[in-house]
Amino acid sequence: MLDPQAQPDLTAVLACAYGLTGIALERLPVGQVTVNYRARVGDRLLFVKHYPDGTDLTAEQAAIDQTRLAGQYQVPVATPRPSLDGDTVVRQGGIAVSVWEWVPGAVVQDGLNPAQQRAAGHALGRIHTAFTGHPAGAGPSARLKKWMNPDLAKLDATTGKLLGIAGERAQRDAFDEQALRTLAERRAMLPRIPDLLAGLPPLTTQVLHGDYSAVNLLFDGDELTAVLDFLPPDPFLVAYELGRIACDPRTVVLDEDWITAGVNLVGAYLETNPHLPAADVTACARVALIQLLTSLYGVKQHYLKPGLIQEDLDQFWLLRHAAATRLLDNLDTVERALAQAAHDR
């Protein structure tokens, strides 16, 4: 975590590199990788990202380039504000920072409504269309090879380690009890993963947004005002990114009609990216499920290395686990609905 006492140094960098004098910074309780601020300069609002030591700033610059490319395809994105020297990422005196125009809107915390689902689907379709011919997508995906061959023995061992840490605590709190239950359930699900992987058809890979999820979408009512936090170009499964948002854990857990909601989003996606093969559409929920089952994100941080905002990660683990359970129990039904959506486009 960055030291809050670094804020005066950050203010000095913003004044020197960006000409932003008299700036007032308000730290925002969002983000697990950077420390983020709402900045007020007179009557104008800006968004400031403060990068911790060790951040790969070349990768951050590549992510900003992806943001700009998506914006050229009518995807609503935040606009980076260049420094006085024209840079979009600045390092000065040990402080690394980027500045963005402020975008109105908020993250939807309790599942997207039908209009928001369609807006999210349309935007993702445009992103994938924009990135189809990206040079970084021409070669094989090293990440995909690893994803298709998860180390289940290591995953089982890590799950057992976390169970041991939680179980051996002299005084367990409410999350410890929840962790013991959910980790035991997850461990029992792990033997299902090989069959889920074996059931995947050949799938499309290309450059993606990289982290297209509800927390990176800003809405003002039903209007999608910005897609945030693109990652550097790295080819991976289109079905992964589509399934991740169509089967967003908030929707799967909180919406009784979650299958219809997911199909609604996929239908909107196909309106802006109609050439995605039916196999990718049908498999997207299975890919999302495999990703959930092979991830201990949240609970692993809790017991081994707490994140910047660990309480959020704790709740995210519980939500993702509940979503994995529901998806696993209903996968056949979901895949039939997705296959029909691909047929009806």
Side-chain angles (χ1 to χ4, degrees):
M1 178 180 290
L2 295 179
D3 185 350
Q5 299 303 317
Q7 190 176 120
D9 294 332
L10 175 59
T11 302
V13 171
L14 293 171
C16 179
Y18 290 89
L20 298 172
T21 57
I23 193 168
L25 296 175
E26 174 191 355
R27 184 169 173 180
L28 300 173
V30 295
Q32 294 292 342
V33 178
T34 58
V35 176
N36 301 311
Y37 297 88
R38 179 191 290 114
R40 186 178 296 277
V41 186
D43 59 357
R44 185 173 189 181
L45 291 177
L46 298 167
F47 182 82
V48 174
K49 281 188 177 186
H50 187 174
Y51 302 103
D53 290 342
T55 298
D56 184 344
L57 298 184
T58 300
E60 294 297 330
Q61 182 60 63
I64 291 174
D65 293 341
Q66 293 297 95
T67 303
R68 287 171 156 171
L69 177 57
Q72 294 171 15
Y73 282 75
Q74 289 74 55
V75 178
V77 295
T79 302
R81 179 189 177 106
S83 70
L84 297 176
D85 291 332
D87 299 319
T88 48
V89 178
V90 168
R91 176 181 286 281
Q92 189 176 102
I95 298 288
V97 64
S98 63
V99 178
W100 304 72
E101 300 297 335
W102 183 263
V103 180
V107 170
V108 176
Q109 300 287 356
D110 52 359
L112 305 180
N113 67 34
Q116 293 165 343
Q117 292 155 13
R118 291 189 59 77
H122 282 144
L124 184 60
R126 292 191 185 97
I127 291 169
H128 287 175
T129 298
F131 295 170
T132 296
H134 198 291
S141 171
R143 181 184 170 199
L144 177 58
K145 183 177 180 180
K146 182 179 180 181
W147 189 88
M148 291 292 295
N149 297 277
D151 188 338
L152 297 181
K154 181 179 179 181
L155 187 59
D156 181 78
T158 302
T159 305
K161 180 180 180 178
L162 298 176
L163 280 165
I165 294 171
E168 291 168 7
R169 288 193 165 180
Q171 292 186 328
R172 299 178 196 156
D173 60 21
F175 183 80
D176 292 327
E177 298 297 341
Q178 292 172 311
L180 288 169
R181 173 183 60 81
T182 53
L183 284 166
E185 292 173 352
R186 177 61 59 83
R187 201 174 200 181
M189 294 174 181
L190 297 183
R192 304 280 298 274
I193 293 173
D195 285 344
L196 290 169
L197 285 164
L200 288 174
L203 296 171
T204 303
T205 62
Q206 67 161 75
V207 170
L208 309 172
H209 171 282
D211 193 15
Y212 197 84
S213 61
V215 297
N216 287 327
L217 304 178
L218 291 184
F219 283 92
D220 185 0
D222 292 339
E223 179 188 0
L224 178 61
T225 56
V227 178
L228 307 174
D229 288 346
F230 285 74
L231 295 186
D234 182 26
F236 196 56
L237 297 174
V238 175
Y240 163 83
E241 195 147 80
L242 179 59
R244 187 182 183 204
I245 189 65
C247 299
D248 177 80
R250 297 161 189 79
T251 300
V252 173
V253 174
L254 302 175
D255 189 338
E256 286 299 316
D257 205 10
W258 59 277
I259 297 177
T260 298
V263 170
N264 181 43
L265 189 149
V266 169
Y269 172 93
L270 291 172
E271 291 173 7
T272 51
N273 188 22
H275 303 298
L276 186 67
D280 294 272
V281 178
T282 303
C284 74
R286 181 179 294 251
V287 172
L289 172 59
I290 293 168
Q291 177 65 23
L292 288 171
L293 291 178
T294 54
S295 172
L296 296 171
Y297 183 66
V299 69
K300 186 176 179 179
Q301 282 76 7
H302 184 98
Y303 291 109
L304 300 180
K305 188 178 180 181
L308 287 178
I309 309 175
Q310 185 57 46
E311 288 184 5
D312 288 355
L313 292 181
D314 292 347
Q315 294 308 308
F316 197 42
W317 159 254
L318 297 174
L319 187 72
R320 282 163 57 90
H321 179 72
T325 302
R326 181 167 281 189
L327 265 172
L328 187 61
D329 290 343
N330 295 275
L331 185 60
D332 289 345
T333 303
V334 178
E335 291 191 326
R336 284 195 298 271
L338 289 168
Q340 187 63 50
H343 179 270
D344 291 344
R345 75 177 97 180

